Amino acid sequence: MRKTFRIKKPEEFQHVFNKHCSVANKYFIVYQMDKPEQKHFRVGLSVSKKVGKAHERVWVKRRIRQSLLELKPELPQELDLLVIARPAAAHRSQKFLKNQMIHVLKLAKILKEENE
């Protein structure tokens, strides 16, 4: 995922947190904020030390980024997302984490249900 698709600055993270529109499941918490003037979505990732040591946190971040990259065509472009990984996300497979990411994005009504 290109760097233009990432939220990096603490002020930007705080701005999305303050919007306070969040949804969660056992593995992820997702905060979202609409930005109509934006040309593409942006993602900020947070993986705490509760998830594991540094290499385990990087592993989880890579899996989240890859999942979002695969879902890119289905994601709305005028959106800022913050994804916070919970400790249960450690030591899970890529396929499992992608399915859980899809689940939490559907709960947040970011992704559409197949039936609709």
Side-chain angles (χ1 to χ4, degrees), residues 36-88:
E37 71 281 353
Q38 200 162 261
K39 293 180 179 168
H40 54 77
F41 72 93
R42 296 186 314 157
V43 176
L45 300 176
S46 177
V47 182
S48 76
K49 290 184 178 181
K50 292 178 183 177
V51 173
K53 296 188 182 216
H55 66 278
E56 294 162 336
R57 295 192 307 267
V58 169
W59 187 90
V60 170
K61 279 186 176 184
R62 285 181 180 170
R63 298 307 183 267
I64 294 170
R65 270 192 222 111
Q66 182 61 35
S67 298
L68 290 171
L69 190 62
E70 292 172 9
L71 295 170
K72 182 179 172 184
E74 302 170 37
L75 291 172
Q77 298 304 306
E78 58 284 335
L79 193 67
D80 274 357
L81 291 175
L82 291 183
V83 179
I84 301 170
R86 290 186 163 173

Side-chain angles (χ1 to χ4, degrees), residues 69-116:
L69 190 62
E70 292 172 9
L71 295 170
K72 182 179 172 184
E74 302 170 37
L75 291 172
Q77 298 304 306
E78 58 284 335
L79 193 67
D80 274 357
L81 291 175
L82 291 183
V83 179
I84 301 170
R86 290 186 163 173
H91 309 294
R92 299 291 183 164
S93 69
Q94 168 64 30
K95 185 177 179 180
F96 182 82
L97 290 178
K98 182 180 177 185
N99 288 336
Q100 292 304 316
M101 181 62 63
I102 290 170
H103 175 254
V104 77
L105 292 174
K106 284 181 180 177
L107 287 176
K109 295 182 174 64
I110 295 171
L111 289 180
K112 303 284 186 222
E113 297 285 338
E114 286 89 26
N115 312 21
E116 294 179 17

